[in-house]
Amino acid sequence: MISRITKTFKRLKKEGKKAFIPYVMAGDPSLERTKEIVILFGECGADIVELGVPFSDPLADGPTIQRASERALKNGVTLRKVISHVKDLRQITRIPIVLMTYYNPVFKYGEENFIKDSKDAGVDGVIIPDLPPDEAEDFIKQSRKAVLDSIFLLAPTSTEDRIKKVTKASSGFIYYVSITGITGANLLLDGSMDVLISKIKKYTDKPIAVGFGVSTPMEASAVAGLSDGVIVGSAIVKRLHESPDELKHYLISLREAIK
Amino acid sequence: MPALKELEEAFFYSKKDKEFQRELRHLQKTYIGRPTPLYFARRLTEHLGGAKIYLKREDLAHTGAHKINNAVGQVLLAKKMGKKRVIAETGAGQHGVATATGAALKGLECGIYMGTEDMKRQALNVFRMRLLGAKVTEVPTGSRTLKDAINEALRDWTTNVRTTHYVLGTVFGPHPFPVMVRDFQSVIGREARRQILDAEGRLPDYLIACVGGGSNAMGLFYEFLKEDNPPTPPFSKGGKEGLLDKDIKMIGVEAGGKGIETGEHAARFAGGSIGVFQGCKSYLLQDDDGNVLGTHSVSAGLDYASIGPEHPFLKDAGRVQYTYATDDEALAAFELLSRLEGIIPALESAHAIAEVVKLAPKLDQDKIIIINLSGRGDKDVQHVAKIKGIEL
């Protein structure tokens, strides 16, 4: 069986397009609002939605998403609630949904139960930034069986060995972290991304989406030129709080830039 | 991951590198002031009326705590790896001071992350770090204590990994940190074992240390955990069966805070469950959804939600026993040692002393206890005065 994410990338490839993958933290500021945002993402032409799960210690995230996580936790949003929220979303949208969660909530939930419940709820893929493929043998096996995509990360510092391992372990797409650092930092377009993405492509035909640090439509357009998809997180979360009226316009401008 | 691989290779290479080991030993002797004394606490022993109590005086090491053993080791390693900058987290400030000291010694740039809450409790150490040339950055997120400082240091490390080495201060985090930090701290136990054999002609009956992340405890215990240590006197008449290291009882003392039942503590074994946090699997204070809980301890250095992964291993193997001391017990021990021995212990170390206050009177006078006095209490004087309602 082919996953909904793989189908999406195949379709885009045929159409000569690149994926637009916006991110929102579930439950920030409320799950009701998250539902509205996910629908808005769809209306603005998103291909896949990345849904953040709040965690007390979001190691890979910069200040913007850290604060979003704190707000969501304060509202009592948990991994369990996010999964059941996806079930609700499935009543109204078929857009592929990827959960981004840290490992300890998954560990506490139980890997097997997490995979089963996520799949049943309609989750399409999972990103766990603090679970390296080296430690994920079981997780990968079980999620493959359930046709739940497991998406692993590569960074500018990744060695060839690492690239081999991560491209093999990933399904759906490969998440290329554009910078050494945390979400929301400044993107550096100095040509090194080009080199690294070509290196990754030597090892795999799987789609590569780029995230961390993409914030302007111009950056999104440049990154789209090098990859199969662009993930935008902190910049969206920031707008959502600071200038919600501009969010729709911003999303559309990103969509138009990602070609 | 590549950074951890690079570190692992450098560390294991350094263990075999004669030049590295020679420089480390030289600095331990001439800079840190090792070996630190093993001191017989006569008045404390008499006061408690039971076992003989020895203090391993890590408080006399340069900068006033055992943290310097690891910091100097890792800074040397960073220098060998060609890094230009080191960063560290700090709770009580001792590890931050130690890293800033090592960085000054080796001419490296230094950045320290410290929770807002801890900066308040340990203002003196913040100033010391700045004097030593370190940039101290406040961490106002999460519980604003040690765990959040580690998060922030890890974020810095992922950002600046090419030029920067992260000097993690305890036997925690991803491999090779737990092994490496234990290795740099194991000098404590190596010295203590030799010193007690010199002083008493035999091994101790108990080893006791406080456990935050667990580095001073691992440092004291590790040498005594080796199974191939030869038997020591007293030998039986046949001259064969002497005392063995495996008969020594070891106790780790966690922070009981305001009491386990209040939820305001940092006793991971008494109140936690297994989790995966900051790169390792260990006991963790967490809620049912896997979020890390806030902790409380009067001592910033023990105020941490998880514990180095070798400690659960030793607990499950039945080799080390873990208990806790409350804030009040630690504060009482802090004052007791000050008055009886003229030694003001760190509030962290006072937790180990609090356990001995309970244990020693129950033991015969021919029993021997070694406490790791992991740090000096000067840094805590202001905080303790405040708790007692005294304005300085």
Side-chain angles (χ1 to χ4, degrees):
Chain A
M1 208 165 101
I2 300 177
S3 78
R4 194 150 36 183
I5 293 172
T6 304
K7 271 187 212 156
T8 301
F9 276 106
K10 281 203 162 140
R11 173 178 57 79
L12 289 168
K13 195 172 183 183
K14 216 182 275 169
E15 296 168 1
K17 290 181 186 159
K18 303 296 170 74
F20 171 36
I21 311 174
Y23 167 101
V24 65
M25 171 63 75
D28 167 38
S30 68
L31 284 173
E32 265 316 299
R33 182 84 177 112
T34 302
K35 191 188 271 180
E36 291 168 17
I37 305 280
V38 171
I39 293 167
L40 180 67
F41 284 171
E43 286 169 6
C44 294
D47 299 295
I48 296 168
V49 169
E50 190 184 332
L51 198 56
V53 178
F55 179 53
S56 55
D57 294 82
L59 259 176
D61 286 302
T64 302
I65 294 179
Q66 283 176 46
R67 279 196 294 270
S69 191
E70 275 178 20
R71 284 188 294 262
L73 283 176
K74 219 171 262 167
N75 291 335
V77 176
T78 60
L79 178 57
R80 205 168 286 280
K81 284 188 185 164
V82 175
I83 292 172
S84 86
H85 183 65
V86 173
K87 205 174 208 167
D88 289 349
L89 283 169
R90 282 293 169 239
Q91 310 295 320
I92 44 175
T93 174
R94 292 172 53 84
I95 196 164
I97 294 176
V98 176
L99 291 189
M100 160 128 171
T101 173
Y102 287 86
Y103 182 66
N104 197 53
V106 174
F107 177 74
K108 192 77 182 170
Y109 200 110
E111 285 186 3
E112 217 178 313
N113 290 335
F114 167 74
I115 290 168
K116 185 181 177 300
D117 291 356
S118 297
K119 184 67 195 178
D120 289 352
V123 174
D124 298 284
V126 184
I127 302 167
I128 308 178
D130 59 344
L131 178 68
D134 322 59
E135 307 281 349
E137 218 171 289
D138 264 8
F139 187 88
I140 294 167
K141 215 183 281 170
Q142 290 178 46
S143 52
R144 286 282 152 86
K145 226 165 54 191
V147 199
L148 182 72
D149 283 328
S150 52
I151 296 143
F152 291 94
L153 284 71
L154 282 171
T157 48
S158 296
T159 56
E160 303 247 345
D161 261 7
R162 201 79 216 145
I163 293 173
K164 262 188 238 171
K165 205 172 259 176
V166 166
T167 50
K168 191 161 170 266
S170 296
S171 55
F173 64 93
I174 291 147
Y175 194 132
Y176 180 70
V177 176
S178 62
I179 43 164
T180 58
I182 51 180
T183 57
N186 291 328
L187 187 68
L188 192 67
L189 288 167
D190 60 354
S192 59
M193 192 187 298
D194 203 354
V195 176
L196 261 139
I197 290 179
S198 326
K199 216 192 244 175
I200 300 169
K201 287 202 188 254
K202 275 201 307 193
Y203 293 98
T204 187
D205 297 329
K206 292 171 192 171
I208 301 165
V210 178
F212 281 44
V214 181
S215 112
T216 66
M218 215 168 76
E219 287 167 347
S221 161
V223 167
L226 303 171
S227 65
D228 305 298
V230 183
I231 302 158
V232 184
S234 300
I236 288 174
V237 172
K238 214 173 187 164
R239 270 185 186 70
L240 176 62
H241 288 280
E242 289 172 9
S243 44
D245 298 343
E246 290 167 28
L247 184 62
K248 188 170 183 179
H249 174 74
Y250 174 64
L251 291 169
I252 291 170
S253 66
L254 285 172
R255 171 69 278 182
E256 283 169 355
I258 298 167
K259 281 186 242 167
Chain B
M1 291 298 292
L4 293 170
K5 196 96 198 144
E6 180 194 2
L7 180 61
E8 185 185 2
E9 279 165 16
F11 167 64
F12 284 105
Y13 179 79
S14 77
K15 283 185 72 148
K16 291 177 297 184
D17 180 1
K18 286 210 177 85
E19 192 198 331
F20 181 91
Q21 291 301 329
R22 200 165 31 232
E23 189 175 359
L24 181 62
R25 271 198 306 274
H26 180 71
L27 286 174
Q28 283 174 341
K29 192 173 163 195
T30 61
Y31 188 74
I32 298 176
R34 305 208 70 89
T36 58
L38 184 72
Y39 165 73
F40 172 50
R42 184 181 303 277
R43 294 197 66 218
L44 181 65
T45 300
E46 283 168 4
H47 175 80
L48 295 174
K52 290 177 88 168
I53 300 162
Y54 281 85
L55 305 177
K56 178 61 175 162
R57 297 291 307 273
E58 290 302 296
D59 60 318
L60 292 178
H62 180 42
T63 69
H66 74 292
K67 293 291 183 190
I68 191 78
N69 301 324
N70 168 53
V72 163
Q74 284 200 47
V75 166
L76 268 186
L77 202 59
K79 187 91 183 169
K80 296 270 178 212
M81 287 162 73
K83 304 289 179 188
K84 299 194 167 10
R85 174 172 176 260
V86 288
I87 52 168
E89 84 292 347
T90 197
Q94 291 304 98
H95 176 56
V97 166
T99 304
T101 300
L105 172 72
K106 283 283 149 192
L108 297 175
E109 232 183 285
C110 181
I112 303 292
Y113 290 95
M114 191 168 187
T116 309
E117 194 62 31
D118 292 338
M119 282 179 82
K120 264 189 266 166
R121 283 190 281 199
Q122 304 289 349
L124 193 65
N125 269 343
V126 175
F127 185 63
R128 283 171 82 193
M129 289 183 274
R130 288 181 174 149
L131 268 181
L132 291 160
K135 182 169 177 263
V136 183
T137 305
E138 179 178 341
V139 181
T141 49
S143 63
R144 301 189 297 264
T145 59
L146 183 55
K147 85 172 169 71
D148 311 283
I150 295 179
N151 287 341
E152 210 49 42
L154 283 166
R155 289 182 188 118
D156 181 318
W157 199 29
T158 40
T159 307
N160 301 303
V161 61
R162 292 183 180 96
T163 57
T164 299
H165 170 64
Y166 176 22
V167 183
L168 185 60
T170 191
V171 287
F172 195 72
H175 179 70
F177 282 109
V179 176
M180 180 170 70
V181 177
R182 181 193 70 198
D183 210 67
F184 287 133
Q185 292 294 1
S186 61
V187 65
I188 302 171
R190 271 200 307 281
E191 289 173 7
R193 192 172 185 281
R194 203 170 55 228
Q195 288 165 323
I196 196 70
L197 288 175
D198 281 349
E200 292 282 347
R202 71 170 187 93
L203 290 172
D205 300 285
Y206 285 88
L207 300 176
I208 297 178
C210 64
V211 188
S215 73
N216 92 76
M218 279 318 302
L220 176 65
F221 297 166
Y222 188 59
E223 182 68 16
F224 298 89
L225 290 168
K226 291 181 178 163
E227 281 170 4
D228 50 358
N229 282 338
T232 61
F235 293 110
S236 65
K237 277 192 184 140
K240 279 256 186 280
E241 297 94 41
L243 284 178
L244 288 168
D245 291 75
K246 71 174 176 54
D247 298 319
I248 301 171
K249 295 187 178 64
M250 302 185 192
I251 303 174
V253 187
E254 298 184 278
K258 294 178 181 168
I260 305 303
E261 64 290 347
T262 66
E264 293 187 50
H265 60 84
R268 290 66 48 100
F269 286 122
S273 57
I274 294 174
V276 177
F277 183 52
Q278 291 173 339
C280 75
K281 185 175 178 183
S282 185
Y283 274 69
L284 179 65
L285 292 168
Q286 58 183 328
D287 64 17
D288 294 339
D289 298 297
N291 285 301
V292 180
L293 291 171
T295 51
H296 166 82
S297 169
V298 68
S299 78
L302 303 184
D303 202 349
Y304 182 57
S306 192
I307 179 169
E310 200 166 355
H311 287 289
F313 171 79
L314 291 168
K315 179 180 187 278
D316 291 346
R319 185 65 195 90
V320 180
Q321 190 196 324
Y322 293 84
T323 182
Y324 59 87
T326 62
D327 286 355
D328 288 345
E329 289 167 338
L331 285 163
F334 176 86
E335 293 192 31
L336 185 70
L337 194 73
S338 302
R339 279 201 316 275
L340 288 178
E341 296 289 350
I343 298 170
I344 302 174
L347 277 176
E348 289 76 17
S349 323
H351 285 72
I353 295 155
E355 171 60 20
V356 170
V357 169
K358 289 181 241 178
L359 176 72
K362 291 187 245 167
L363 300 174
D364 292 338
Q365 293 186 347
D366 63 350
K367 297 290 186 204
I368 298 170
I369 297 173
I370 297 179
I371 306 175
N372 197 7
L373 194 71
S374 55
R376 56 192 287 166
D378 304 48
K379 67 180 175 63
D380 296 312
V381 168
Q382 250 177 342
H383 185 54
V384 172
K386 201 173 148 204
I387 290 170
K388 292 172 72 93
I390 300 163
E391 211 162 307
L392 296 179

